[in-house]
Amino acid sequence: MKNLTNKIIHNWIYILIIMLLSFFLVGIYILYSGDKLTDEATEAFRTYNLNDRKSQLQTEVQNRLDEIDYERNNLLLDEQAVLKIKIQQIYTLLLNSEIPGINDKDDRTLAAIQAFEQIISDDVDYLYFAINTTGLLMRSGTDDQLVGVDLYDSVDVQGNHFIQSIVEVKDMQDGHYVDYYWPKVKNGPSLKKTSYCYYMPEFDFIIGTGIYHQDLQTQLQDRIFNRLQSYYENKETYIFVQDYDSTAKVSGDPALVGTLMSNALAVDGESVHNKLMDIIDTEGSGFSSYQFTRKGSPGLSEKISYVHKLEGWNAYIGIGFYVDDLNAEVDNFSLLFKKHYYNQALYVIIGLLLMAIIVFSVFQRGAYLQKLYLKKEDLIFENLFDLSSEAIIVVSNSGDLLYANSIADNLFHHRIGDFVDTHGLNLKHVEEQIYTFQTYNDRIYFVSVKEEVISFKNRSSTIHFISDITSQYLESNAFEHMAY
């Protein structure tokens, strides 16, 4: 019984060691997995956040480009409406004058030209022209030397027969707009221009005026740049605009507006403006990473900017963010993720620990009940065998003495172990089922032995039923000797 108790205790110790080792390994795995998962999640968050920030930069710039295109179109439409109104007003004034009543056609045309010159004399913001239906220039707003010259077959720098397009208005009741290239000043470069032309049948010539797109762009730039500067000024994330010569048109720092940004150098010594211009020249738009001075912070910080060329303005627009802000957000995410992970891991460990305690308790309870059952079974077994008149010995197949009742103990003079070895009960065989043995005091016994194979205490064993027949055996042998 004592051996069984020791084995049960040993089993509990083994289970406890296995549980502690398991929890140690689980803890190591959780720590390792926590660091690994945190690194993977942090890297994934960094990549997602970086792409998201880049996407936001592109969206912000594209919104400004759409805004510029929208205002450019509206400004052109507004100016076209102004051109039409001015020409229609001049035509109305000529119609309401006495000139239509002149009978001679040439005189009427000459009077109309003179009145036209007088009407437009005070309007210095627009350049007016007059041309007859054959392409002869009657009045020029830029070069008087061309007056009286037939320009019908003339072409602009783009190869367009713009005079012919103007003359076509004689067949249009509402007039029409013509795009062409024409110098703004005498002997100056040809610039893109949109003119509204109207044919006056009463006077048999065409009048018109136009707006140079360059002037429109200048107006639009001033309007857009002032609005952007006002909106983004002194903000951490801001739109910047720079001319191709590096002049700052819009900046987060108003003190930089109008200055040359080519003096701002990256860590490698290259001008930041030059790095951005490389993107504009090769791709028209893209991302660039460089070191730049951050407001309120000493030294340089890494900045990622997205830039896009501004068509027709010889400038580019851009917006960026500082990598320090991204790193701070990533570090905060990493800290929160790790904290959340270890909180969840702690709950799992506590749950596993409680489950292990429950399992261990159940097992310990079962072992305790088994111990009680075996103890009770042994008591019943021993009580039954103690009532027997025979000596009873139980020996395992490995040669362990598992049980001996008091009769057996007395029969072998309390030294049963001397007659048990790895082969079982070791007695000298005399004849069938009769054995003999000699005790330490040289006393000789003859016994009758019966054996049965059993399972005792969950072990394969042999039970020996032994009867002392020394007296009977000796008397039987004495009679045999006498008869002989």
Side-chain angles (χ1 to χ4, degrees):
M1 185 66 193
K2 184 177 180 180
N3 292 334
L4 180 61
T5 301
N6 290 335
K7 289 182 178 179
I8 292 175
I9 293 174
H10 288 162
N11 286 338
W12 290 351
I13 294 175
Y14 294 150
I15 292 174
L16 183 59
I17 292 174
I18 291 173
M19 288 177 59
L20 292 175
L21 182 60
S22 298
F23 275 107
F24 175 76
L25 293 176
V26 169
I28 294 297
Y29 175 77
I30 288 176
L31 291 176
Y32 172 76
S33 299
D35 291 338
K36 184 178 180 181
L37 286 175
T38 300
D39 292 341
E40 292 176 353
T42 300
E43 186 60 29
F45 179 78
R46 176 185 294 277
T47 301
Y48 170 80
N49 201 296
L50 178 61
N51 293 334
D52 182 62
R53 284 174 177 261
K54 286 185 174 181
S55 178
Q56 291 179 12
L57 298 183
Q58 288 179 297
T59 300
E60 185 70 13
V61 169
Q62 190 58 52
N63 287 341
R64 301 291 77 78
L65 292 174
D66 292 342
E67 177 184 336
I68 292 172
D69 287 340
Y70 176 79
E71 295 204 21
R72 179 185 286 120
N73 293 332
N74 280 352
L75 183 59
L76 179 59
L77 292 176
D78 291 343
E79 286 296 328
Q80 287 178 344
V82 171
L83 298 179
K84 185 175 182 178
I85 291 173
K86 284 182 174 292
I87 294 300
Q88 293 290 350
Q89 288 177 341
I90 293 172
Y91 178 53
T92 301
L93 291 175
L94 291 176
L95 283 180
N96 293 330
S97 68
E98 298 178 352
I99 299 175
I102 300 176
N103 294 326
D104 185 75
K105 178 181 177 182
D106 293 336
D107 292 340
R108 186 167 65 248
T109 300
L110 179 60
I113 286 292
Q114 293 174 349
F116 176 58
E117 287 281 0
Q118 186 177 359
I119 293 171
I120 65 175
S121 60
D122 295 331
D123 192 352
V124 296
D125 294 329
Y126 290 85
L127 302 176
Y128 295 87
F129 63 88
I131 191 170
N132 68 13
T133 57
T134 63
L136 181 70
L137 186 63
M138 303 173 67
R139 199 268 179 189
S140 173
T142 58
D143 190 354
D144 292 338
Q145 292 181 355
L146 295 176
V147 175
V149 177
D150 185 359
L151 302 176
Y152 186 80
D153 293 324
S154 299
V155 294
D156 62 11
V157 293
Q158 297 292 323
N160 300 316
H161 290 80
F162 64 99
I163 297 296
Q164 296 178 16
S165 298
I166 293 175
V167 170
E168 290 175 357
V169 75
K170 65 182 179 179
D171 299 322
M172 303 176 186
Q173 292 184 352
D174 294 331
H176 76 146
Y177 295 94
V178 178
D179 291 335
Y180 57 98
Y181 288 82
W182 187 263
K184 188 176 181 180
V185 294
K186 184 178 181 180
N187 298 324
S190 296
L191 304 175
K192 188 175 181 179
K193 183 179 183 181
T194 296
S195 293
Y196 176 74
C197 310
Y198 189 82
Y199 174 63
M200 300 183 295
E202 294 83 1
F203 312 107
D204 194 28
F205 66 91
I206 301 166
I207 61 172
T209 188
I211 182 70
Y212 286 92
H213 286 222
Q214 186 181 67
D215 295 339
L216 287 178
Q217 296 297 337
T218 301
Q219 295 178 32
L220 183 61
Q221 284 186 31
D222 293 342
R223 182 190 306 176
I224 292 294
F225 293 166
N226 289 335
R227 183 165 67 244
L228 292 178
Q229 183 64 39
S230 175
Y231 181 77
Y232 289 101
E233 189 169 301
N234 295 321
K235 289 188 177 180
E236 185 67 27
T237 301
Y238 57 88
I239 285 284
F240 60 87
V241 178
Q242 292 177 191
D243 282 343
Y244 287 170
D245 65 358
S246 84
T247 302
K249 295 297 185 179
V250 178
S251 175
D253 185 356
L256 296 177
V257 176
T259 64
L260 294 177
M261 300 302 295
S262 55
N263 297 327
L265 303 180
V267 174
D268 56 7
E270 184 181 358
S271 169
V272 173
H273 169 72
N274 292 341
K275 294 171 70 72
L276 299 180
M277 281 301 300
D278 288 341
I279 297 175
I280 297 300
D281 291 338
T282 56
E283 302 179 17
S285 64
F287 291 93
S288 179
S289 176
Y290 54 90
Q291 301 288 329
F292 198 73
T293 304
R294 184 170 187 171
K295 290 187 299 183
S297 299
L300 300 175
S301 298
E302 184 180 0
K303 186 176 184 180
I304 296 177
S305 293
Y306 175 76
V307 291
H308 196 292
K309 69 187 302 183
L310 288 171
E311 295 290 346
W313 287 7
N314 290 327
Y316 59 86
I317 185 172
I319 189 172
F321 69 90
Y322 289 96
V323 177
D324 292 343
D325 294 336
L326 173 64
N327 292 337
E329 191 170 345
V330 171
D331 291 342
N332 185 55
F333 168 83
S334 178
L335 182 64
L336 293 177
F337 181 87
K338 183 178 290 188
K339 182 178 179 181
H340 176 74
Y341 174 83
Y342 284 120
N343 285 339
Q344 296 298 318
L346 179 62
Y347 295 148
V348 172
I349 292 176
I350 292 174
L352 290 175
L353 181 61
L354 292 176
M355 185 180 298
I357 292 174
I358 294 173
V359 172
F360 183 77
S361 300
V362 171
F363 177 82
Q364 186 180 31
R365 175 65 177 171
Y368 175 74
L369 293 176
Q370 183 182 23
K371 179 180 176 183
L372 291 179
Y373 175 77
L374 291 175
K375 183 176 181 180
K376 183 177 180 181
E377 187 181 57
D378 289 347
L379 289 174
I380 295 173
F381 182 84
E382 291 175 3
N383 290 336
L384 289 175
F385 282 4
D386 284 342
L387 295 175
S388 175
S389 59
E390 295 179 299
I392 299 177
I393 297 173
V394 180
V395 181
S396 71
N397 289 350
S398 60
D400 295 327
L401 178 63
L402 301 181
Y403 174 77
N405 63 0
S406 58
I407 296 176
D409 194 36
N410 292 330
L411 177 62
F412 289 93
H413 291 263
H414 310 294
R415 302 184 70 170
I416 300 175
D418 295 343
F419 302 95
V420 176
D421 57 22
T422 56
H423 300 289
L425 185 62
N426 186 12
L427 301 177
K428 185 178 180 181
H429 184 258
V430 177
E431 56 183 83
E432 185 178 358
Q433 293 187 346
I434 296 177
Y435 297 83
T436 183
F437 66 90
Q438 185 175 353
T439 63
Y440 69 95
N441 56 3
D442 296 331
R443 183 175 177 178
I444 297 175
Y445 288 90
F446 292 89
V447 293
S448 171
V449 180
K450 296 179 181 180
E451 298 175 350
E452 294 288 343
V453 176
I454 65 172
S455 176
F456 184 76
K457 296 183 179 179
N458 294 325
R459 299 180 67 180
S460 298
S461 310
T462 301
I463 184 171
H464 304 271
F465 298 94
I466 305 172
S467 299
D468 185 2
I469 60 170
T470 303
S471 299
Q472 297 90 320
Y473 183 79
L474 292 176
E475 290 177 0
S476 173
N477 282 330
F479 290 142
E480 289 180 2
H481 285 292
M482 289 174 65
Y484 177 75

